[in-house]
Amino acid sequence: MNQASRKILVTSALPYANAPLHIGHIVEYTQTDIWSRFQKMRGHECWFVCASDAHGTPIMLNARKQGITPEELVARSSASQQRDFADFRIEFDNFHTTHSEENRVLSNTIYERNRDAGHVESRTIIQAYDPQENMFLPDRFIKGECPKCGAADQYGDNCEACGSTYAPTDLKNSYSVVSGAKPVDKESEHYFFKLADFEPMLKQWIHQGHLQQEVTHKLDEWFEGGLRAWDISRDAPYFGFEFPDHPGKYFYVWLDAPIGYAGSFRNLCDKTEGLDFDEFWGAGSDTEMYHFIGKDIIYFHALFWPAMLHGAGFRKPTTIHAHGFLTVNGQKMSKSRGSFIQARTYLEHLNPEYLRYYFAAKLGSGIDDIDLNLEDFVQRVNSDLVGKVVNIASRCAGFISKRYQGMLADAISEPGLLESFVNTGDTIAAHYENREFSRAVREIMLLADRANQYIDEKQPWVLAKQEGMEQELQNVCSMGINLFRVLIGYLRPILPGTAAASEQFLNIGELSWHELATPLLGHKVNKFKPLMTRVDARQVEAMVEASKEDMQQQEQTIEAKTSGPLADDPIADPINFDDFAKIDLRVARIVKAAPVEGADKLLQLTLDLDGETRNVFAGIKAAYPDPAALEGRLTVMAANLAPRKMRFGVSEGMVLAAGPGGRDIFILSPDQGAAAGMKIK
């Protein structure tokens, strides 16, 4: 079980400081926290840092709406998020903010080094401009009439009524959401990071074991389309860092946010004696650096970020670990169903370690989505944690406390059984190391079954009634408690709070991995207190109802009006069956999905209809920032729609999607059993 000491830096994607955390966020931070705690438990020097992602136009405008400064908004949001993290047992060694002097200095340094090396270029672009507010407008801050169907109050990227996509300049009678003024076209100079300069380095780097295999395959496909230069600038007014050499220009949030990982560590180094920033971040560093992110931002973190670091003379991460999304009861989190669960709402109803355990029992090393099935959640927590693990201690502790004044036996009565528990530790450790948490959990629960089987066979409650069996009773119960100690040690990265309470009962300090091989002999334990209670399904129901109420209250505070899909977008006039029958709907497999160069809203989809390939442009880019995540999925398309000549090519059909548009647009997927080319009847 011994392993040479390592120096490890662990980072995780930064939470945006404009909204509360929800349980989808908690997946990532739980995963990262488990891995970090495991490394520390193994005796390694491991630092886990994060920060509040504090910049951007949404934060600026939200603060203005609330009548406070962006700094105040960020401080409030950060404090709220840190409370949620702490209550979910997420243990950062440092939690900072991207709006910090450390991050400003590092952002300037990385920009200037890349600029001086020729990796930054300027271009003149045309954007919509609010003449009243004197600010350039993101597409979602522009509304008007759809240029195709004439529907009013449509966003500047797509029409919620007819589904058309367009440029904001195409809107009729357009107006700024910020002021109500009519936007005007205005030129602006923007600055771009030349990602293509790093293509040879990146092609080599992604094949050196720094990414999951499935991620590497996706990146290989993206290389085929060529690497696009990345816009790293925004115009004033903007909440962020001003360019050191271009007054009125600001670093886009996607530049200084990932630099925030280094900024947070810089802040930690300044507070920690002997901790050297360059040892971890300098080029050629032999320390380890691991980064955990969602699969939707892999393009940025696996290409742009490493290139930006490399160009500035900093090290690249050892490994980037991407994970999938969270669904609830098999579906995307929904506000109407109460399955859009904020972190605080969960915490008000349930033990955070229930969710930590359930996530761990589902998480592997891949990028598959995981599902929180609420019924399974109740059953698994009650069966595994309460019925198996905690039950071992509760079945033995009372006898030790009442009969032997809390003293454990001087010897292990079943050394072979204990040895098998200890020896399994290497397998469990390997699963933790490889982020195969679900496999680690399965191994631990198999041991818990064996421990309970041992107690069932020895029947301490029967021994307690038999004269002359006092030593045997102490031996059996001491054995059970020692088995429990090993199990809770293996579970400590997942259940730190329960482990701490167990250590109090066992009358020991914080468990390390290497201590688990040495049993407690002739040792006094404290009086046992319940470590965990069963989950009541009514608690889950109450949480779901509270989530619905939370969303309702939020919507009421925003605008008191009737809203919903049907209210906002009424059903169209009836058509007859013959008209509908003219549409040939087919199941199609998305073979390739990629952004369209020069188009802000479009993805180019290559669709397979069982041998026939179609090229379709779809205005769904905002909802799918990682287009590769769509590849391999089945969807539905109108196959007999006449080809449309667009500025970027010919679109041969249309994929079907639902939702109001922008980020809230969802492509349709058929049920299992459907195959590419099938006619939808």
Side-chain angles (χ1 to χ4, degrees), residues 223-239:
F223 276 114
E224 295 176 6
L227 299 180
R228 298 176 291 112
W230 194 283
D231 190 348
I232 59 172
S233 59
R234 289 295 184 268
D235 298 279
Y238 187 81
F239 183 58

Side-chain angles (χ1 to χ4, degrees), residues 69-94:
T69 66
E71 289 84 356
E72 289 176 303
L73 174 66
V74 169
R76 291 180 187 178
S77 177
S78 179
S80 173
Q81 291 178 347
Q82 288 186 68
R83 284 193 297 271
D84 291 345
F85 284 135
D87 288 347
F88 268 106
R89 317 279 198 265
I90 310 296
E91 189 176 58
F92 301 110
D93 292 292
N94 198 52

Side-chain angles (χ1 to χ4, degrees), residues 503-572:
E503 290 156 356
Q504 175 65 29
F505 156 62
L506 294 169
N507 194 25
I508 59 175
E510 185 174 313
L511 283 165
S512 74
W513 200 273
H514 309 297
E515 292 174 340
L516 300 178
T518 305
L520 299 178
L521 303 176
H523 176 84
K524 185 177 178 63
V525 299
N526 295 317
K527 186 176 181 181
F528 181 79
K529 298 177 181 179
L531 297 172
M532 189 173 284
T533 58
R534 293 177 62 84
V535 186
D536 191 326
R538 289 173 294 183
Q539 293 172 280
V540 176
E541 293 169 2
M543 177 188 66
V544 170
E545 289 304 311
S547 297
K548 293 179 182 178
E549 293 173 5
D550 289 344
M551 292 303 109
Q552 290 172 356
Q553 291 173 1
Q554 289 182 19
E555 291 169 359
Q556 290 170 1
T557 59
I558 296 172
E559 193 171 3
K561 69 173 187 178
T562 303
S563 185
L566 286 180
D568 297 339
D569 190 6
I571 294 174

